[in-house]
Every structure is written in C-alpha cells, then in structure tokens.
C-alpha cells in the first residue's frame, strides 16, 4: 500500500516532466506568422534560453521535493509523530506542530533555488528588480502568512473532526462549509489585504487616461471607486492589470510596468477585457467552481480519515490528523491534474469572451497590440504544446487569441 502511494507521486512527477519536455520541444518550432512581430530574433533567442533555464530549475525543484517527500514517507513521519506527541497531548497542537515542521523543512530546501532563480536567472535576463532586502522580507511575510492561514484552516478542520468523527457526512458537510467560507473571504477581502502588505499603491494622476477609464466604466454601468497604480516594478518587469471588488463598484489596479510599456489605447483595451470579465460575472463562476472543489476536498479528507490502514502502512500508530492532510494532498494531485482540464477549458472560453467584449467596446486592433506587448514583456511561449495547453493553460495561447480577434 505505501509503495502504491509513493508510486503515485512518482508517476505524476514523471508525467508532468514528460509534458514539460514535449512543451519545450514544441517551443523550438518556427513562430506562427500572426505573432512573428512579437519578438525580434535576438529577443526570441533570449527567451528560449531563459525559458530553458527556468524549466530546468523548476524540474530540479520538483524532483527535490519528491525526494524529500519520499524520505518523509519512509519512516520519518512515524518518528515525527512520536516526537510531537512527547511535546504535547493536545491533538490540535500535535497536528499543527507536525505540519509546521514538514512545511518549514520543505520551505528551507526551496530557498537556495529561489535565490538562484531570482538573483541569477531573472537577473541575467533583466527581469529582476528585487533587492535582497525586499526578497527576504517577502519570503518571511509569505512564510508567516502560510503558517497563520494554514494553521487556522488545519486547527478548524481538526476541531470539527474531534467533535464529529462519529458522523462522517456531518463532518464532511461542516468541513466543506469551513473551506468554502475561507475561500470566499480570501477572494472578497484577503486578496486586497495581501496585495497591500506586499506593495505600495498610489492613485492614478489626473489626465486623459483617467478620464477615458472613468468614461468607459460608466458607459458600461460600473462606477470606479479608485484607480490605483501598484509599484510592481519594485520586484519584476512583468506587467498586468486587475479589477477588484464584487458588484458594480470596482477598484482598478494598474501595474506601473503596464503604464510604462503600453500606449493609452492599449491600456484601455486591457481594461475593456477586465470589464468583460466583470460583465460576464466570471468572478462568480470562479467562486462556484471553487466551492465545488472545496466539496471534493472535504469528501477526500473525510474518506482518508476513515481508513486507519492508510496511516499504519507508513508506520504511524493510527489515524493522525496532521498526516491525513499530507496523504490527502498526495492522493489529490492526480485528481486536480485531471480536474484542471475542464476547468481550464471553461476559463479559456471566458478569456475569449472577455477579449471579444473589449474589442467591441474599445477597438480590436488595440487589444491585439496590447496582447503583443504583454507577450513581449512577459516573454510568453508563442508555441505551447497542445497537451500543455489542455492541462495547464487558463488563458489561450497568444496566437489563438489574436486569431480570434482578427
Ligand atoms: Zn482575462
């Protein structure tokens, strides 16, 4: 049994590595005509070597994570159970210490590679703008957040389990509610709060762009509460824009890198696209999707906790809540890979729809040239392998998006 689970981890890893290699090979094909003018030859070569280096480092990282997990699964989790049990008899604290130690050691192993990617690869290709100080601060803050948020979720579900372990379906229903509420809260408020922890926001100064954005939004029935420029350039040269807020009152966030690289027309097209998402209620669809996934999570956790043999084969003394979270995440990995296929397909359809909306309310040629600027600045793969698109792409490849707009 334990070898089946370890085998499952290895199969998922090998499959994803194979897809990554196929995708790599595909990216060497000639650039489609429609996007030929996106990179000049020199920039294209630069992108190819950059993506190869990033791919190697991410494969290396995933391989390393796999080895650490196998190490933990071959007896170390059982030892950890004993050690943690000698610290406290409180079952919730036991789960928190257990998962905290696993999470922290995974993170410690990933730091050297993160440093290498940011300060060697991204630096050499001119993407990196992070200073060591910002990097350390980001790392520390995101660690603290993971520990706090993750801890809160684990502690709540563990408390439910202690109270309702006799009634599987009630436990699953309550777990589902808890996960769904936390997801809802994070979409509604937390995203905003988190962004503000990591970045500075300044209102967009008065001028034609401001007026045009206000006019476009109000002509579509939205009121714009604020247009804020985010100092994304402090970390990276990559650009983006976002619409936040639920309902008719929106806050618009523009990356300062977007303002640097795009003309006013192109920025209007990007905002038209984001307004398209708002009009088509794509945020609500996403929320509905996430609550369905939350139900699967709850069901999966409930089923794992019903099977003591899943714990004893790894040397644990019996059902252990902390370890159930790890087991669940391993067993869920292939499920989420498969689930990604229909979910990404729906997402790509909504991207086409938002592009069409923007083209209708601004100008198709603005959107096309905005997409080209985005691909150039973010150095995207112009020739992704169809299998990679099917599995992972929440947005259609650039060539297809431009074709749809023409
Ligand atoms: Zn979009």
């Amino acid at each position: 049994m334990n070898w089946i689970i370890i085998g499952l981890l290895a199969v998922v890893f090998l499959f994803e590595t194979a897809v990554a290699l196929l995708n790599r090979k595909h990216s060497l094909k000639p650039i489609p005509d429609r996007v030929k003018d996106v990179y000049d030859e020199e920039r294209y070569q630069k992108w190819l070597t950059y993506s190869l280096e990033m791919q190697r480092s991410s494969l290396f990282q995933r391989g390393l994570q796999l080895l650490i997990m196998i190490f933990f699964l071959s007896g170390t989790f059982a030892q950890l159970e004993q050690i943690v049990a000698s610290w406290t008899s409180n079952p919730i604290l036991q789960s928190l210490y257990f998962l905290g130690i696993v999470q922290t050691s995974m993170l410690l192993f990933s730091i050297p590679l993160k440093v290498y990617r940011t300060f060697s690869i991204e630096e050499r290709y001119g993407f990196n703008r992070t200073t060591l100080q910002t990097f350390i601060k980001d790392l520390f803050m995101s660690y603290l957040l993971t520990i706090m948020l993750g801890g809160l979720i684990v502690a709540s579900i563990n408390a439910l389990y202690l109270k309702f372990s006799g009634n599987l379906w009630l436990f699953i229903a309550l777990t589902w509610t808890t996960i769904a509420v936390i997801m809802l809260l994070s979409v509604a408020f937390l995203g905003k709060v988190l962004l503000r922890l990591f970045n500075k926001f300044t209102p967009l100064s008065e001028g034609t762009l401001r007026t045009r954005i206000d006019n476009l939004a109000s002509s579509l029935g939205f009121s714009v509460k604020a247009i804020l420029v985010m100092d994304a350039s402090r970390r990276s040269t990559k650009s983006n824009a976002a619409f936040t807020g639920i309902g008719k009152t929106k806050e618009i966030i523009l990356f300062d890198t977007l303002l640097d690289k795009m003309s006013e027309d192109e920025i209007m097209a990007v905002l038209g696209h984001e307004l398209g998402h708002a009009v088509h209620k794509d945020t609500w669809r996403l929320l509905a999707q996430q609550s369905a996934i939350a139900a699967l999570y709850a069901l999966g956790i409930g089923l794992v906790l019903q099977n003591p043999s899943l714990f004893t084969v790894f040397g644990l003394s019996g059902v252990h809540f902390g370890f159930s979270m790890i087991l669940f995440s391993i067993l869920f990995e292939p499920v989420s890979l498969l689930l990604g296929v229909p979910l990404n397909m729906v997402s790509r359809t909504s991207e086409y729809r938002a592009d069409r909306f923007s083209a209708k309310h601004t100008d198709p040629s603005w959107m096309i040239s905005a997409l080209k600027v985005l691909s150039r600045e973010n150095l995207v793969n112009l020739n992704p392998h169809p299998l990679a698109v099917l599995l992972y792409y929440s947005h259609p490849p650039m060539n297809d998006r431009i074709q749809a707009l023409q």
Side-chain angles (χ1 to χ4, degrees):
M1 186 54 163
N2 50 349
W3 287 106
I4 296 180
I5 289 173
I6 291 175
L8 191 69
L9 266 176
V11 166
V12 172
F13 173 73
L14 289 176
F15 174 73
E16 295 202 276
T17 305
V19 176
L21 294 177
L22 274 179
N23 201 28
R24 168 74 200 160
K25 224 177 128 195
H26 215 260
S27 69
L28 297 173
K29 286 192 159 189
I31 311 176
D33 280 340
R34 234 172 254 107
V35 279
K36 258 214 163 89
D37 56 340
V38 171
Y39 306 147
D40 57 45
E41 193 53 38
E42 192 194 345
R43 198 162 168 87
Y44 189 63
Q45 287 308 322
K46 180 179 156 182
W47 169 72
L48 278 177
T49 45
Y50 165 77
S51 66
L52 181 65
E53 282 201 53
M54 285 305 264
Q55 193 188 39
R56 276 194 192 135
S57 87
S58 86
L59 277 180
F60 182 76
Q61 178 165 10
R62 294 206 50 192
L64 190 69
Q65 279 169 343
L66 176 72
L67 290 179
I68 298 170
M69 186 47 85
I70 292 176
F71 166 75
F72 268 119
L73 284 171
S74 6
T76 313
F77 280 129
Q79 283 175 334
L80 197 57
E81 181 196 24
Q82 303 296 325
I83 295 170
V84 166
S86 73
W87 292 347
T88 171
S89 58
N90 181 319
I92 296 184
L93 279 179
Q94 283 182 1
S95 307
L96 290 176
Y97 290 150
F98 185 91
L99 290 169
I101 291 170
V102 177
Q103 191 63 37
T104 308
S105 49
M106 284 289 190
L107 181 94
L108 287 177
F109 275 106
S110 74
I111 289 177
L113 242 103
K114 232 182 165 131
V115 171
Y116 174 70
R117 281 173 163 214
T118 312
F119 294 104
S120 176
I121 306 182
E122 301 233 320
E123 185 79 47
R124 270 184 282 121
Y125 290 92
F127 286 129
N128 180 44
R129 298 250 184 104
T130 293
T131 59
L132 192 63
Q133 199 190 354
T134 311
F135 181 83
I136 293 171
K137 194 182 142 214
D138 283 0
L139 205 67
F140 184 70
M141 295 269 270
S142 57
Y143 174 69
L144 217 63
L145 280 168
T146 316
I147 293 288
M148 283 185 341
L149 267 180
L152 187 72
I153 296 170
V154 169
S156 334
I157 303 177
N158 199 350
L160 289 175
Y161 179 65
L162 290 172
K163 220 170 158 56
F164 302 105
S165 59
N167 188 338
L168 177 66
W169 292 104
L170 184 60
F171 166 71
I172 290 175
L174 291 172
T175 303
W176 177 29
T177 319
T178 309
I179 301 175
V181 167
I182 292 171
M183 278 178 169
L184 192 77
L185 285 178
S186 35
V187 174
F189 307 105
L190 217 63
K192 238 162 109 174
V193 178
L194 289 188
L195 269 183
R196 274 170 178 66
L197 271 179
F198 288 96
N199 297 283
K200 272 205 188 71
F201 291 81
T202 38
L204 177 66
S205 47
E206 295 288 339
T208 48
L209 182 63
R210 241 204 108 99
T211 320
R212 287 178 71 182
I213 295 174
D214 274 326
N215 289 345
L216 177 68
S218 56
S219 77
L220 295 166
F222 288 95
S223 71
V224 177
K225 197 173 74 180
I227 306 173
L228 300 169
V229 180
M230 190 179 105
D231 61 342
S233 61
R234 207 149 57 93
R235 295 199 173 76
S236 159
T237 60
K238 298 184 176 177
S239 9
N240 209 342
F243 247 69
T244 60
I246 285 174
K248 286 280 173 192
T249 306
K250 298 282 174 191
E251 205 173 70
I252 296 171
I253 295 169
L254 299 169
F255 281 27
D256 55 356
T257 38
L258 196 77
L259 292 176
D260 281 350
K261 303 286 180 201
M262 282 192 186
S263 68
E264 268 188 32
D265 286 349
E266 289 161 348
I267 295 173
M268 292 311 293
V270 172
L271 288 172
H273 172 98
E274 297 303 329
L275 276 168
H277 282 311
V279 167
H280 301 126
K281 306 225 177 333
D282 287 331
T283 318
W284 291 107
R285 177 186 49 78
L286 213 66
L287 279 177
Q289 252 174 35
Q290 279 175 340
S291 19
I293 293 174
L296 276 179
Y297 279 175
L299 187 70
I301 294 169
L303 293 178
V304 168
L305 285 167
Q306 286 303 104
N307 281 293
S309 62
L310 281 174
F311 298 80
T312 49
V313 287
F314 289 102
L316 282 94
S317 59
V319 173
H320 183 278
F321 189 83
F323 185 61
S324 77
M325 293 284 133
I326 290 164
L327 263 182
F328 166 73
S329 67
I330 295 174
L331 295 170
F332 202 73
E333 219 178 303
V335 178
S336 71
L337 192 66
L338 289 176
L339 266 180
V341 173
L343 294 183
N344 283 322
M345 203 179 289
V346 172
S347 168
R348 287 194 301 272
T349 312
S350 72
E351 292 303 328
Y352 280 127
R353 202 167 46 195
D355 280 351
R356 274 202 305 278
F357 185 87
S358 172
K360 191 173 148 202
H361 294 280
T362 62
D363 190 300
S365 69
W366 299 355
M367 189 70 215
I368 291 175
S369 82
L371 285 174
K372 286 182 176 172
V373 176
L374 281 178
S375 346
R376 184 161 52 230
E377 294 306 320
N378 298 350
L379 284 180
V380 303
N381 185 354
L382 296 176
N383 263 325
H385 192 280
L387 187 57
V389 175
L390 188 75
L391 287 169
Y392 307 119
Y393 272 53
S394 63
H395 288 60
M398 278 304 165
N399 187 34
D400 299 359
R401 284 178 82 174
I402 291 173
Q403 184 178 18
L405 281 164
Q406 277 167 343

